[in-house]
Amino acid sequence: MKRFNNSNEFQNELFGHLYLENQKIANKLFFDCEFRNCNFSYTDFESTLFEGCSFFNCNFSLSIMPKTQIIGGLFNGCKILGIDFTKCDTPMIDFSMEECKIRGCIFSGLCLKKCSLYKSALIECDFVNTDLSETNLSKADFSGSLFHNTNLFKANLTNCINYNIDPLKNNIRQATLSLPEALTLLNAFEITIR
């Protein structure tokens, strides 16, 4: 934490093996920084800006992000648990989460158009009223996740598993899906296939 007390702005820096559980990192500006193997459990990032930053194998369990801005961010191999992304400065949220373990997060009402959630486990997440159009969701696991009035126009859902998407309550036009999982779209019609 001492390193963050000395300045409010950081550019092109590499941060590795930081253990900042239950810390407050507020009102900081990070530009094109890289974070590796950091533990941000319960960390409060209020009013912090991350622009062009990458996070590799970091832990964001129950992190708090009110008024946080994430622009062009990449999360790879991270654990992201219980974060309400709607508390972020939502017009300034643009990120990809690849090969991440994501559980109990809220993405409701966000525009995540053209982002990537490739090969991530998105367990019990909320995607109500979320714009996921043209998003790469391939090889993702959506166990227990909620989709309602979600825009999946031209989304890539190839090799996804465990999703329950009602085509009557979500826009799935021109989405790309794989068999056999695509057959779950028929659940809304209460039919039996033999």
Side-chain angles (χ1 to χ4, degrees), residues 13-149:
E13 293 202 39
L14 172 63
F15 300 96
H17 300 281
L18 296 176
Y19 300 97
L20 299 171
E21 307 96 318
N22 273 321
Q23 300 294 318
K24 185 165 183 142
I25 303 173
N27 302 302
K28 305 288 183 192
L29 305 171
F30 295 93
F31 299 98
D32 301 309
C33 293
E34 187 173 306
F35 298 83
R36 291 191 170 272
N37 303 301
C38 298
N39 188 346
F40 297 118
S41 298
Y42 301 94
T43 301
D44 184 349
F45 291 104
E46 183 175 356
S47 300
T48 295
L49 166 68
F50 296 100
E51 185 172 323
C53 294
S54 300
F55 302 88
F56 297 94
N57 303 308
C58 294
N59 184 351
F60 288 91
S61 294
L62 301 171
S63 298
I64 304 165
M65 299 191 173
K67 300 178 189 168
T68 302
Q69 298 177 26
I70 305 169
I71 303 169
L74 170 65
F75 297 82
N76 188 284
C78 295
K79 178 181 178 185
I80 302 168
L81 173 67
I83 296 178
D84 183 351
F85 285 99
T86 65
K87 302 290 184 199
C88 291
D89 188 349
T90 53
M92 295 296 187
I93 190 163
D94 168 32
F95 54 73
S96 290
M97 297 176 170
E98 298 182 350
E99 298 185 49
C100 291
K101 292 181 174 100
I102 305 163
R103 180 181 284 274
C105 290
I106 301 172
F107 299 97
S108 277
L110 296 180
C111 179
L112 300 176
K113 183 176 183 173
K114 294 186 179 181
C115 80
S116 177
L117 298 172
Y118 171 76
K119 214 173 181 181
S120 289
L122 296 128
I123 311 302
E124 298 173 356
C125 292
D126 186 338
F127 294 101
V128 173
N129 298 316
T130 305
D131 184 356
L132 293 170
S133 58
E134 300 179 61
T135 298
N136 181 8
L137 305 169
S138 61
K139 298 185 179 181
D141 180 354
F142 289 101
S143 296
S145 288
L146 181 60
F147 294 89
H148 182 79
N149 199 34

